[in-house]
Amino acid sequence: MERLCSGCRDGSDFELPFTMAFQPIVDVAAGKVFAYEALVRGVAGAGAHQILSGVNEANRYSFDQACRVKAIEMAVEAGLMQSDAKLSINFLPNAVYSPLACIQLTLATARSVDLPTDRLIFEFTENEQMGSPEHVSSIIDTYKKIGFTVAIDDFGAGHSGLDMFASFCPDEIKLDMQLVRGIDGDHRRQAIVRAVVNMCEDLNTLVVAEGIENAQEASALRNLGVRYHQGYWYARPKIGKLPAINPECFVN
């Protein structure tokens, strides 16, 4: 086993206080929570932007490590193990020196709370300028070998688009909310999402739609074959809690 890389030990030198909110990703076919996404928040409820604005080159590694630990510990404390739901954590590819070395604290934290590796999803966004594609591929390959699920977040909104999808072979993609917003009345968005769903079926990749705000968007996405949904229509994020799904979501 590799030792922890320098700067990846416990995140203790990241000085901005933060916490985690959780929002469900719903399997609408099964009518239950598929996973909970851990979302960074300020301790007084401030949004992620306030915390992320304090992340820089000097503390990025510690912040990434601290987020992983806090997400796992808080999710389990909130009751994750009383369900079969997974936990989805955002990570920063540029915060990883060595994939195997920098994952050791995450693995140790998961072991300490008896959370199996196959219940962890790691999301990275295509909005982030990530440097070397070879380095990102190495991270993804390592994570998948360990048993993690890997997802591209904000798919369709970033720098690399389909080229990133083809290069990195994720297990999941999360449609950017700009594709989701108002999709029930937008034939162009419907055509794009339908094509993405068909492509992902061929590639054995799950599709998650995020940012769903009403029943009309949810219905349109179900009709387009999108099984996994996330957004305010289902539940708002709650700090330190695993929120229940809005019961209206499954009323025919």
Side-chain angles (χ1 to χ4, degrees):
M1 178 182 295
E2 293 188 46
R3 294 181 299 170
L4 295 176
C5 60
S6 175
C8 293
R9 297 187 183 278
D10 60 6
S12 59
D13 56 341
F14 184 76
E15 298 179 353
L16 293 175
F18 69 92
T19 187
M20 289 286 172
F22 298 94
Q23 186 178 36
I25 299 169
V26 180
D27 179 343
V28 296
K32 66 177 186 177
V33 175
F34 166 70
Y36 292 94
E37 182 179 359
L39 302 163
V40 172
R41 294 289 185 268
V43 293
H49 177 73
Q50 179 175 316
I51 302 301
L52 294 174
S53 64
V55 178
N56 54 46
E57 185 65 29
N59 63 25
R60 181 180 292 118
Y61 311 98
S62 295
F63 174 72
D64 185 66
Q65 292 291 306
C67 283
R68 297 164 184 240
V69 171
K70 193 176 291 288
I72 292 170
E73 292 180 341
M74 288 185 66
V76 170
E77 184 178 352
L80 182 71
M81 302 304 288
Q82 280 69 63
S83 73
D84 60 358
K86 298 186 178 187
L87 175 64
S88 192
I89 302 171
N90 293 277
F91 80 99
L92 304 173
N94 285 341
V96 178
Y97 284 125
S98 164
L100 190 56
C102 290
I103 200 61
Q104 295 306 316
L105 179 59
T106 305
L107 290 172
T109 304
R111 284 195 298 268
S112 73
V113 295
D114 296 322
L115 180 63
T117 56
D118 63 3
R119 290 183 62 178
L120 284 171
I121 302 168
F122 283 95
E123 300 183 21
F124 69 100
T125 178
E126 64 167 306
N127 280 316
E128 184 184 357
Q129 296 281 11
M130 292 178 292
S132 166
E134 292 77 15
H135 179 57
V136 178
S137 291
S138 176
I139 296 170
I140 293 172
D141 289 345
T142 299
Y143 283 14
K144 292 176 76 167
K145 287 176 182 177
I146 290 171
F148 301 142
T149 298
V150 179
I152 295 179
D153 195 11
D154 300 325
F155 183 79
H159 301 284
S160 304
L162 292 174
D163 180 63
M164 173 181 282
F165 186 28
S167 299
F168 298 147
C169 302
D171 301 296
E172 300 178 11
I173 63 167
K174 298 185 75 176
L175 299 174
D176 183 73
M177 64 178 61
Q178 293 305 315
L179 283 174
V180 169
R181 187 69 61 249
I183 192 170
D184 52 297
D186 191 320
H187 294 299
R188 293 182 66 84
R189 284 184 170 86
Q190 291 170 18
I192 292 168
V193 170
R194 184 181 297 110
V196 170
V197 168
N198 290 336
M199 173 183 67
C200 287
E201 286 179 352
D202 288 341
L203 296 172
N204 196 30
T205 303
L206 296 183
V207 179
V208 179
E210 57 185 347
I212 301 169
E213 294 192 344
N214 55 56
Q216 292 75 29
E217 291 172 350
S219 178
L221 288 158
R222 284 197 302 270
N223 291 336
L224 289 166
V226 180
R227 176 172 176 171
Y228 300 95
H229 292 197
Q230 181 179 4
Y232 285 0
W233 171 239
Y234 294 93
R236 290 178 176 268
K238 288 189 177 181
I239 292 177
K241 296 182 180 180
L242 305 180
I245 304 173
N246 171 16
E248 294 182 22
C249 296
F250 300 112
V251 176
N252 294 325

